Amino acid sequence: MLISGAVLAAAGTAVGLKKIDYDRIARVGILSASFFVASLIHVPIGPASIHLIMNGLVGLLLGWAAFPAILVALLMQGVFFQYGGITTLGVNTMIMALPAVICYHLFAPLLAKGRKAVLAAAFGCGFCAVLLGAVIVGLALMFTEEKFLEVATLVVTAHLPVMIIEGLITAFTVVFLQKVQPSMLPTFDGSPQKTANSQK
Amino acid sequence: MIDEPFAHGSSIIHRIDPRFKAVFAGALSVATAVSYRFEALFFALGLSLLLVIAARLAMGLVIKKLMVVVGFLLLLWLVLPLTFEGEVFTRIGPVKITRPGLILSAQITLKSLSILMMFIALVTTASLVTLGHAMDRLGIPAKIVHLLLMSYRYIFVIEQEYRRLSRAAAVRGFTPGTNLHTYRTYAYLVGMIFVRAAERADQVYKAMRCRGFNGRFYCLAEFPAHRRNWIFAGLMTISLAVLVLLEFTNAAQVLT
């Protein structure tokens, strides 16, 4: 399981790396850093608080480059906070980056539509990115041990509030970005940030 | 908020070549992760404990770092023995606790703690910059290394940006709560971080071009050869062999 996770993550990262040329490394690197910082933000929900994940947003902003970006952010989390070890790095990257890429392909085309559609698409993107992540966790646990089905359903239900909040925040963030810096978002031809460097 | 508490020190572990440490951290972690026999798992735990002690880290801090995982593990101990089907170990009232559930919980606990301690002792005892250079020397794709060093360079800047924004929000009387206004505010805050990050990325890229960036990121760090690196490598190889042997003693007995 750990090995297949690592292999898949390596494949995804390889594709992501192919997609970024050296001109974009500074950009991806700094966005990866922002992703890391965003995951430190704790948002209150009832008496507790959750920290943001934002993998949906990263997917929207980076496309396939989300793979290496998330891998790097996770590696840094490991080094700074000792979250997880080396062996789970691959699986964790899959859990966060694969949904990011899937959501990018599902929802990026919708961003060119009207305001309502954008709001819905962005909400869906944030929501599904976490949902798919939880589903992958569930699948991973099921492959390890069939009896884990209960745990897996638990994982998905436990993340329901997280999904809703991620959805809301992703939606608001995307609306904000559309007003402030529309060139950061993918355009309808599906190429993120092509225009960003030439805008000035 | 972001720091590397274990990166600096003068212990024997700190002085070992980070390339050697990274390679053996990887190999030992994988070997531990695929082991199931308790002999092997306890050996891994002992080994990782020895490594942490040899690195002479602040024990209180190490324990604090481990507590994060312990919380998750406690949850496992609560869920697995109850939900796992199999031979009943003991009953508490109507609740039955199964033996396979207990065994699995124990295995996962031992594995997680050992792997985490190996990580703390061998990986976090070098700063991320050193680690990046070590990865470059180990033949990890240059783009990943470049990406890592670039992100590392800017997380502190962006964290400051975040603190500035949240201070600004606090000054304007923002108190987080469970409502749409809070989520909207946080969303705009995150959006602003990303906008500023993107702008900074443009500037950084232009500055890099001005200084003649041609797509290659040079890692100038040198890792001088030293006898202790090879002694470390030898010891770790032996440990790895013992770990694998312990895991497969059953198979070995069958063969002889």
Side-chain angles (χ1 to χ4, degrees), chain B:
Chain B
M1 197 169 347
I2 305 171
D3 59 345
E4 298 171 282
F6 304 130
H8 304 288
S10 55
S11 78
I12 185 79
I13 299 272
H14 282 93
R15 276 180 288 159
I16 290 167
D17 190 331
R19 290 173 301 175
F20 285 75
K21 287 194 285 187
V23 167
F24 282 104
L28 286 170
S29 303
V30 170
T32 310
V34 297
S35 295
Y36 286 94
R37 290 177 57 86
F38 280 101
E39 291 91 330
L41 291 178
F42 274 112
F43 177 76
L45 189 71
L47 178 69
S48 60
L49 210 58
L50 271 180
L51 286 172
V52 170
I53 292 168
R56 294 214 302 244
L57 302 171
M59 272 305 159
L61 205 58
V62 174
I63 291 169
K64 220 170 111 191
K65 298 281 180 185
L66 289 177
M67 282 330 258
V68 180
V69 187
V70 170
F72 170 74
L73 290 172
L74 283 179
L75 197 75
L76 270 188
W77 279 97
L78 280 180
V79 176
L80 283 182
L82 300 181
T83 55
F84 225 69
E85 279 157 39
E87 187 195 336
V88 176
F89 180 69
T90 178
R91 282 170 193 276
I92 305 170
V95 189
K96 58 178 185 213
I97 293 174
T98 62
R99 184 181 291 274
L102 285 176
I103 291 178
L104 193 67
S105 305
Q107 283 170 338
I108 295 176
T109 307
L110 287 172
K111 276 187 204 184
S112 324
L113 289 179
S114 327
I115 292 177
L116 200 60
M117 283 198 289
M118 286 168 190
F119 189 79
I120 289 178
L122 295 179
V123 177
T124 62
T125 48
S127 83
L128 236 165
V129 176
T130 320
L131 207 62
H133 292 160
M135 280 162 70
D136 183 63
R137 289 285 184 277
L138 284 171
I140 305 266
K143 273 184 185 173
I144 274 277
V145 175
H146 190 160
L147 205 58
L148 179 75
L149 293 175
M150 207 70 197
S151 308
Y152 177 74
R153 165 68 180 78
Y154 283 98
I155 46 171
F156 302 100
V157 177
I158 289 169
E159 197 215 354
Q160 293 238 317
E161 192 77 61
Y162 160 61
R163 283 173 181 273
R164 219 146 58 93
L165 286 168
S166 48
R167 257 201 313 274
V171 165
R172 286 170 176 77
F174 170 65
T175 39
T178 310
N179 50 45
L180 217 54
H181 172 67
T182 303
Y183 300 145
R184 195 193 301 266
T185 309
Y186 274 119
Y188 290 173
L189 201 152
V190 170
M192 204 60 218
I193 290 178
F194 275 95
V195 167
R196 297 219 173 129
E199 257 166 22
R200 191 180 289 277
D202 272 355
Q203 291 165 8
V204 169
Y205 176 65
K206 281 176 189 150
M208 280 161 69
R209 288 302 295 265
C210 285
R211 285 160 178 77
F213 177 67
N214 60 357
R216 172 111 181 83
F217 197 76
Y218 298 94
C219 291
L220 296 177
E222 282 190 26
F223 300 108
H226 195 280
R227 207 169 35 161
R228 66 171 163 259
N229 292 331
W230 294 105
I231 296 173
F232 171 78
L235 285 175
M236 288 298 113
T237 312
I238 294 168
S239 309
L240 196 63
V242 172
L243 185 62
V244 173
L245 271 178
L246 282 175
E247 174 65 16
F248 290 105
T249 32
N250 255 359
Q253 274 162 2
V254 171
L255 284 178
T256 46

